[in-house]
Amino acid sequence: MTELKAKEDILALRQLPKLKSLLKKYRQVKTMQSGLLQLSELASTVTDMAAFYAELKSVIKTLLITDSFHITLINSKDNLELAHCHNPEEIRLHDHLKVADWRKCLTGMVFESEKPMHCSAKERLALAKSVDIFLYGSSCVDWLGVPLRRGSQVIGVLALQSYDDKLYFDEYDCQLLEFIALHLVTAIDRVRSRELLEQSILQRTETLTEMNKQLQVEIAERKKAVKMHKALLSISEITANSQDIDCFYRAIHQEINTLLPAKNLYIALLDTGDNKDSSIVTFPYYDDEKVHTPLPRMLGFGLTELAMNAVAPTLITEDEVFYLSEQGEITSEALTIDYPKNKMPQAWLAAPLMEDGKIFGILAIQHYQDSQAYQQSDLTLIRFISQHVDTAILRKRSQAEIKKHHEKLENTVNQRTQELQASNLNLRMQIDERRKAEAQLYYEAHHDGLTKLPNRAMFSDRLSYALRHLKRHPDQRFAVLFIDLDRFKMINDTLGHHAGDEFLIEIALRLQDCVRDNDILARLGGDEFVILLDSLQCQYDIEEVASRIITAIAKPFSLGGHTLYSNASIGIAQCSSHYKDSHEILRDADAAMYQAKNLGRGRYVFFDESMREKLIASMTLEQELRIAITESQFELHYQQISNLTLTNTIGFEALLRWQHPTKGLLTPSEFLYMAEETGMILDIEAWVIKEVSQQLKSWQQNTEYFNAFIGINLSGRHLVQANQLNKLIKQIKDAAIEPHRLILEFNESAFAQQSELALKNLRRLKDFGVKLALDDYGAGSSSLNFLHNYPFEFIKLDRSFVRTLNTNNKNLSLVKALHDLGSNFGYHLVAEGIESEEMLKKLQNAGCEFGQGFHISRPIKMPRIITESEVIVKVSA
């Protein structure tokens, strides 16, 4: 038993150091836990960083062997800055840390290395000797520093110093200090965040307090403005409602008293009367606790006159006078007028009453007890009030004058009412007549006067509406029919315009029977009618209406005892979204109508894009033709005319050619029809006559062509258009050539319309001396009337007729007959288009005297000899 106990004692003695060690660690952990809890409570309760650092020393002292420490944190410039220092031994350290280069001290080395550092006094001296750090007389025997980390970033350093040579830091102190540093950063951030929050709350509170003060001022000003607005509104209502002037002034006084201390108020007005040199001051309203209402008086030197002379809001207080200018500036001066002391108020405020820039009185309020009753800011208010009061007073004056003249006006009104009633009755009748006239004018402006159908303006308007409707409803269909009547001009020319009008009226009636109620029939002018067919289901609907129209127009007409017939050519343009306006669809329908005419009349044709291309080509040709005339792009080719018996040359025919810039050489068949349509043919023929004249002049020096003549094809316009023949004769005269060397050729179409006028003008040309030729004989009707009645010297057989001689002997007999008639009527035959020797022989045997064609000579450009006169002109130019 004793032995067992001894063994237990020995075992207990062996475990005693271990138990003591465990007890020591437990106490250390307990101490650390207590310190960290204290640190956490400190971070939760303290709101100021200075107080936090002051309480931190007790936590450090509890956990570590010394309470001498300092904390540095990085600032916004990335430099270390001393945040707190608790170092009783080295009070100089605080001043030094403000200016030292942190990279040359132990704290800076910890921050740069981002690692804990333990340094004894001996190690410090070694670092100082190697110039790694600077010494500043520090007396600590041991130094320990650890970095302060926020995540992965080092934000500062926590350092301990020991000044007791018996107390040194060990590894446990380093680990403990690192642990404290970890929690210290969290505590610092929490305290600093709370400190910033309280500062922000304090600043926000101050801002809100200041805003509240401003808001209170604004509320006071708003209340004052509302109060003023209410008072001014009341003044306006008083002006409108009050009948008695005294009640009016009293009510205004009450309203002003709500804005300013206005127990004592008076209104003084100037009355010049008939004498403009002297003015009297009257007081229509005077409410004062000391002074009774003054009697009217002459202008003097009182307070009232002071404000009137200033013509500005005036404030008198404490023997000083303040004035408010128009620009809002306040000026002051000493009160110098002699005023009775017993009547002098402590404060006096007035503003002028103005009318058209001139003063007619003042509004004044006064206070006998308080010299501060009115402030300088009230000058603006009293001026604002006076502006409304003077308006109200002037309005009351105007109302009084209106009331004064009301009875007189009422009598006048009663007198004139009866006159106006009579005039009004007459005026109503005139208005009714005017409305009827306007309706008639509108009807006439939108309808044809003859047929009473809608005219072009109304039709274009309805067509534009249909196009707009089509854009909103693409499934809708409509079409435009453009109708032109055949033989209308013949009816006008033969039976007269009255018969033509009756014809058009009958046409309108027949067309109305052919269309539906919802369709629009209009007359554009002349013999042109248009129809807008709406609500179509298919193209057959259009064709049915067009066929009915053609059938109706083809029926005979009975006019003035005559039975007449006509046809209708109809162009149809169907609706399409590509049309932009009514003009485009009318243009296309018109083009289709002309196509129907060309195809033989009495038919309808639908427009297609090829017609548009033809129109564009026609417009392009017209434009290019005008440029060709301006730039003289034409040239003449001369074809020889020979005596078929003697085989010698007697002259030439000038054939026109157009040297087109892109298409090359063009013959007249490709462009002359456009020149005829547009009237440009006259300009072209003038150029031809000029060129031929110059050619004839050049031949005067050439014995070969000295007596040769040149034939020119001319338009019938020279024979039927007014003054055109005179221009032709004048141009030939001015050319200074022999007229008999010119042969002017006309075809049968020149005499078809106005044969008598054409014959008269042909004889004038004959008398002038030129030779005349009938061109293209045998191609048309070829009347024998042209052979014996017209003064032609040459009858030119058309090439189409000459070409038939190869196969038709009857026509050869006709040539012989024409030759025999020429002997009696005085003309010569000229055959065109001789292209073979066989044809030449037949013409010679038939007696044809002259001829031209490719077999004899092809058209060529003739060289022209420049005359002496042309050389002189060129040199002078």
Side-chain angles (χ1 to χ4, degrees), residues 254-519:
Q254 291 175 359
E255 293 300 330
I256 295 175
N257 197 31
T258 62
L259 299 175
L260 291 169
K263 182 180 180 182
N264 306 302
L265 180 145
Y266 70 88
I267 295 175
L269 301 178
L270 283 174
D271 185 8
T272 57
D274 297 332
N275 189 358
K276 296 183 179 180
D277 296 332
S278 60
S279 299
I280 296 176
V281 182
T282 62
F283 300 90
Y285 182 79
Y286 203 100
D287 187 355
D288 194 90
E289 60 183 298
K290 286 189 176 182
V291 182
H292 296 292
T293 304
L295 297 174
R297 59 177 176 80
M298 300 292 292
L299 281 174
F301 301 96
L303 299 181
T304 300
E305 287 80 355
L306 179 67
M308 287 184 176
N309 293 333
V311 196
T314 305
L315 170 64
I316 300 176
T317 178
E318 296 179 349
D319 295 332
E320 192 168 5
V321 185
F322 298 90
Y323 302 104
L324 178 65
S325 67
E326 289 289 337
Q327 293 75 26
E329 297 179 356
I330 297 177
T331 57
S332 63
E333 63 181 16
L335 180 64
T336 57
I337 63 172
D338 187 12
Y339 201 82
K341 293 293 184 182
N342 59 336
K343 296 182 179 181
M344 185 68 184
Q346 291 293 320
W348 188 83
L349 182 65
L353 303 175
M354 308 293 291
E355 180 184 14
D356 297 331
K358 295 181 180 180
I359 187 169
F360 70 90
I362 67 163
L363 169 70
I365 57 177
Q366 48 195 359
H367 207 288
Y368 291 100
Q369 291 80 27
D370 187 4
S371 61
Q372 301 299 320
Y374 312 122
Q375 304 298 321
Q376 295 182 23
S377 59
D378 294 331
L379 288 168
T380 303
L381 179 59
I382 194 66
R383 178 166 67 182
F384 190 68
I385 294 172
S386 68
Q387 290 173 349
H388 287 75
V389 171
D390 60 21
T391 302
I393 291 174
L394 292 173
R395 191 180 304 162
K396 292 300 292 183
R397 279 186 176 181
S398 176
Q399 290 174 354
E401 292 178 0
I402 291 172
K403 186 177 180 180
K404 181 178 179 181
H405 297 291
H406 181 71
E407 292 181 0
K408 182 179 179 181
L409 180 61
E410 189 173 357
N411 292 332
T412 305
V413 168
N414 290 334
Q415 181 182 355
R416 293 185 179 178
T417 299
Q418 298 176 353
E419 300 174 0
L420 287 173
Q421 287 176 346
S423 299
N424 191 32
L425 180 60
N426 186 32
L427 183 59
R428 280 200 298 268
M429 295 174 62
Q430 292 179 6
I431 290 173
D432 291 339
E433 291 177 0
R434 184 180 182 88
R435 286 176 179 170
K436 292 178 182 178
E438 288 177 350
Q440 183 64 27
L441 285 173
Y442 179 84
Y443 181 85
E444 292 176 356
H446 291 81
H447 289 78
D448 177 48
L450 179 64
T451 62
K452 308 305 178 185
L453 295 176
N455 60 8
R456 180 185 291 272
M458 186 173 181
F459 185 82
S460 297
D461 182 64
R462 297 296 176 86
L463 185 54
S464 298
Y465 173 80
L467 287 171
R468 292 194 299 270
H469 182 76
L470 177 64
K471 291 180 180 178
R472 294 192 300 270
H473 306 282
D475 56 331
Q476 297 292 320
R477 293 171 61 88
F478 70 87
V480 174
L481 276 62
F482 200 111
I483 306 168
D484 185 80
L485 305 175
D486 300 334
R487 306 187 69 193
F488 173 69
K489 188 175 186 305
M490 183 272 292
I491 295 172
N492 255 349
D493 293 342
T494 55
L495 300 181
H497 291 286
H498 178 69
D501 291 345
E502 291 182 351
F503 174 72
L504 291 174
I505 293 172
E506 179 62 24
I507 288 290
L509 294 174
R510 294 188 184 186
L511 290 175
Q512 284 177 327
D513 292 337
C514 296
V515 298
R516 302 163 300 176
D517 292 338
N518 58 323
D519 298 330

Side-chain angles (χ1 to χ4, degrees), residues 179-245:
F179 193 73
I180 293 172
L182 179 65
H183 289 77
L184 181 62
V185 170
T186 304
I188 289 174
D189 287 344
R190 191 183 303 167
V191 174
R192 181 172 292 178
S193 174
R194 190 180 297 111
E195 183 181 21
L196 291 175
L197 179 62
E198 290 192 357
Q199 290 178 359
S200 175
I201 292 172
L202 181 61
Q203 291 177 357
R204 182 66 60 85
T205 303
E206 292 175 354
T207 303
L208 290 174
T209 303
E210 184 64 28
M211 290 175 63
N212 185 47
K213 290 180 181 178
Q214 294 177 1
L215 186 60
Q216 292 297 328
V217 172
E218 291 180 3
I219 291 172
E221 292 178 354
R222 179 64 62 87
K223 287 181 178 179
K224 187 176 180 181
V226 170
K227 194 174 181 181
M228 181 186 298
H229 180 74
K230 184 178 179 181
L232 295 177
L233 185 62
S234 299
I235 291 174
S236 299
E237 293 177 353
I238 292 167
T239 305
N241 299 330
S242 297
Q243 300 297 325
D244 181 66
I245 192 70

Side-chain angles (χ1 to χ4, degrees), residues 618-838:
S618 179
M619 292 171 59
T620 304
L621 177 61
E622 180 182 351
Q623 183 180 5
E624 292 177 345
L625 198 55
R626 295 186 186 278
I627 296 173
I629 293 172
T630 304
E631 298 180 356
S632 298
Q633 296 177 0
F634 301 104
E635 58 185 45
L636 293 179
H637 290 201
Y638 295 88
Q639 187 173 39
Q640 178 180 323
I641 302 175
S642 298
N643 188 319
L644 299 184
T645 304
L646 303 176
T647 67
N648 64 315
T649 301
I650 64 168
F652 297 87
E653 180 179 0
L655 302 177
L656 182 65
R657 298 291 184 268
W658 178 8
Q659 188 63 49
H660 195 280
T662 58
K663 299 178 182 178
L665 198 64
L666 303 181
T667 60
S669 61
E670 298 177 84
F671 63 88
L672 213 57
Y673 70 93
M674 179 59 68
E676 285 280 3
E677 288 180 9
T678 59
M680 290 186 283
I681 187 67
L682 297 175
D683 296 327
I684 296 174
E685 289 176 347
W687 178 85
V688 171
I689 293 172
K690 177 183 174 184
E691 289 294 313
V692 168
S693 299
Q694 292 176 351
Q695 186 67 50
L696 288 173
K697 281 184 182 180
S698 69
W699 284 350
Q700 289 177 356
Q701 301 176 14
N702 189 336
T703 56
E704 182 181 357
Y705 304 118
F706 185 77
N707 294 315
F709 58 81
I710 297 179
I712 305 172
N713 287 281
L714 291 183
S715 166
R717 294 172 183 262
H718 295 283
L719 302 178
V720 295
Q721 287 189 359
N723 203 35
Q724 196 59 45
L725 185 64
N726 295 332
K727 293 181 180 179
L728 176 62
I729 294 174
K730 183 178 184 302
Q731 185 180 5
I732 297 173
K733 283 182 179 179
D734 294 342
I737 61 172
E738 298 170 323
H740 67 272
R741 296 184 64 189
L742 273 179
I743 300 178
L744 303 184
E745 302 179 10
F746 299 94
N747 58 26
E748 296 177 28
S749 63
F751 327 114
Q753 300 296 330
Q754 303 182 44
S755 57
E756 293 183 2
L757 178 60
L759 178 58
K760 177 183 175 182
N761 289 331
L762 279 174
R763 287 170 178 165
R764 280 190 62 192
L765 287 172
K766 179 69 173 179
D767 295 338
F768 174 62
V770 298
K771 290 181 171 61
L772 300 176
L774 176 61
D775 197 17
D776 299 335
Y777 190 79
S781 59
S782 304
S783 173
L784 293 176
N785 181 44
F786 298 136
L787 303 181
H788 66 89
N789 281 337
Y790 286 77
F792 293 118
E793 296 182 44
F794 297 95
I795 303 297
K796 301 189 72 175
L797 301 177
D798 186 69
R799 67 181 63 224
S800 62
F801 176 78
V802 172
R803 193 177 296 117
T804 64
L805 299 180
N806 289 326
T807 58
N808 193 337
N809 292 327
K810 291 182 180 180
N811 288 345
L812 193 60
S813 300
L814 182 58
V815 174
K816 292 178 181 180
L818 289 173
H819 170 67
D820 295 338
L821 288 174
S823 302
N824 296 325
F825 296 147
Y827 63 80
H828 303 280
L829 282 181
V830 180
E832 295 182 319
I834 301 174
E835 298 178 355
S836 66
E837 182 66 24
E838 180 185 359

Side-chain angles (χ1 to χ4, degrees), residues 39-153:
L39 179 63
S40 178
E41 290 176 1
L42 184 64
S44 301
T45 56
V46 177
T47 59
D48 181 61
M49 290 302 298
F52 173 76
Y53 287 135
E55 296 294 333
L56 184 62
K57 66 178 181 178
S58 61
V59 178
I60 297 294
K61 191 172 182 179
T62 302
L63 298 174
L64 298 166
I65 60 176
T66 179
D67 63 349
S68 180
F69 69 96
H70 68 265
I71 298 173
T72 59
L73 298 174
I74 190 169
N75 58 18
S76 58
K77 296 181 180 179
D78 292 335
N79 291 326
L80 286 176
E81 188 177 72
L82 187 64
H84 180 71
C85 178
H86 181 68
N87 195 344
E89 298 296 330
E90 295 187 22
I91 199 65
R92 294 174 303 168
L93 183 62
H94 181 272
D95 298 331
H96 162 65
L97 289 176
K98 290 182 181 180
V99 296
D101 183 357
W102 283 96
R103 291 176 177 79
K104 291 296 183 177
C105 67
L106 296 176
T107 302
M109 292 179 68
V110 173
F111 181 79
E112 291 290 338
S113 64
E114 300 183 3
K115 295 179 180 179
M117 183 176 181
H118 182 198
C119 186
S120 63
K122 184 177 180 180
E123 290 171 335
R124 288 179 66 215
L125 291 174
L127 290 172
K129 288 181 180 179
S130 61
V131 200
D132 291 332
I133 64 171
F134 295 132
L135 291 178
Y136 296 95
S138 176
S139 59
C140 68
V141 296
D142 203 4
W143 190 93
L144 178 63
V146 295
L148 297 175
R149 299 178 184 273
R150 182 186 292 122
S152 60
Q153 180 184 6

